[in-house]
Amino acid sequence: VIVAGSGPYATNTLWDATQMCANYAYRALTYQGYTRDTIYYISADTDLDLDNDGYPDVDADATNASLEYAIKTWATDADNLLIYMVGHGGEGTFVTGEYELLDAADLDAWLDAAQQTIPDFVALVYDGCHSGSFVPYLIPPAGKTRIVAASAGPNEPAVFQADGGLSFGYQFFSYLF
């Protein structure tokens, strides 16, 4: 699941970097053999055609409801789950859209529900300011494995330079590519 959060609203100076990082994650995963059917891409730009086949590769608009659906319904038959969230963040929050925040406790509840049917691990890569503030909330259920990688400490800003090319997420997916 890839989430390009925050959206292209007028005061979001991070949108181009956010979109570039999310698109790069999509391309890196497809290069590793994942298909459009095994990637659920959430973004405010729902018309993106990243593989030039004439069809949009974005599955849903960037909302909490879309992310909840992806985690609790779309991924129920997965052996494991990787979620990459990129965009603005705050202490214990992720800016899903211009007027919508995702609370770390809500994400934890969705992941707990998903891990009832996912036999292997769930991994979250969160690239945004204060992303480390999510770590204490995301404890897995007993007997389950959850990996959380945050780009910044609980009280630190994330780095997005060179239109996102110099960011935690871009470097992470460069390695996977």
Side-chain angles (χ1 to χ4, degrees), residues 143-158:
K144 298 293 182 171
T145 301
R146 189 173 300 163
I147 303 162
V148 180
S151 67
N155 299 309
E156 296 178 340

Side-chain angles (χ1 to χ4, degrees), residues 8-9 16 67-68 71 77 87 96 105 156 160 164 176:
Y9 54 89
D16 290 342
L67 181 55
E68 182 180 16
I71 293 169
D77 63 344
T96 313
E156 296 178 340
F160 290 93
L176 289 181

Side-chain angles (χ1 to χ4, degrees), residues 29-63:
L29 292 172
T30 59
Y31 186 77
Q32 290 301 318
Y34 291 87
T35 65
R36 184 176 186 281
D37 293 335
T38 60
I39 301 171
Y40 198 86
Y41 192 166
I42 299 169
S43 173
D45 188 355
T46 57
D47 294 327
L48 285 174
D49 179 10
L50 298 171
D51 56 11
N52 298 314
D53 66 355
Y55 300 99
D57 294 306
V58 174
D59 296 288
D61 192 14
T63 66

Side-chain angles (χ1 to χ4, degrees), residues 17 21 31 39 56 61 99 101 127-128 156 163 166 169:
C21 290
Y31 186 77
I39 301 171
D61 192 14
Y99 302 108
L101 296 178
D127 196 0
E156 296 178 340
D163 291 328
L166 294 176

Side-chain angles (χ1 to χ4, degrees), residues 7-174:
Y9 54 89
T11 59
N12 183 3
T13 58
L14 191 58
W15 177 246
D16 290 342
T18 298
Q19 194 71 74
M20 189 193 64
C21 290
N23 291 349
Y24 191 66
Y26 183 90
R27 289 184 175 106
L29 292 172
T30 59
Y31 186 77
Q32 290 301 318
Y34 291 87
T35 65
R36 184 176 186 281
D37 293 335
T38 60
I39 301 171
Y40 198 86
Y41 192 166
I42 299 169
S43 173
D45 188 355
T46 57
D47 294 327
L48 285 174
D49 179 10
L50 298 171
D51 56 11
N52 298 314
D53 66 355
Y55 300 99
D57 294 306
V58 174
D59 296 288
D61 192 14
T63 66
N64 289 348
S66 295
L67 181 55
E68 182 180 16
Y69 167 82
I71 293 169
K72 291 172 58 178
T73 304
W74 177 81
T76 56
D77 63 344
D79 291 333
N80 53 58
L81 176 62
L82 168 66
I83 301 166
Y84 173 52
M85 299 184 337
V86 59
H88 288 287
E91 291 186 34
T93 61
F94 172 73
V95 181
T96 313
E98 183 175 6
Y99 302 108
E100 189 168 25
L101 296 178
L102 171 62
D103 186 77
D106 290 337
L107 179 61
D108 180 57
W110 301 342
L111 295 176
D112 287 353
Q115 287 195 271
Q116 299 308 309
T117 62
I118 294 174
D120 206 349
F121 67 90
V122 168
L124 171 71
V125 178
Y126 178 10
D127 196 0
C129 294
H130 308 282
S131 54
S133 65
F134 269 53
V135 174
Y137 290 92
L138 301 179
I139 306 301
K144 298 293 182 171
T145 301
R146 189 173 300 163
I147 303 162
V148 180
S151 67
N155 299 309
E156 296 178 340
V159 175
F160 290 93
Q161 295 181 348
D163 291 328
L166 294 176
S167 67
F168 175 82
Y170 192 89
Q171 297 305 311
F172 179 89
F173 283 101
S174 289

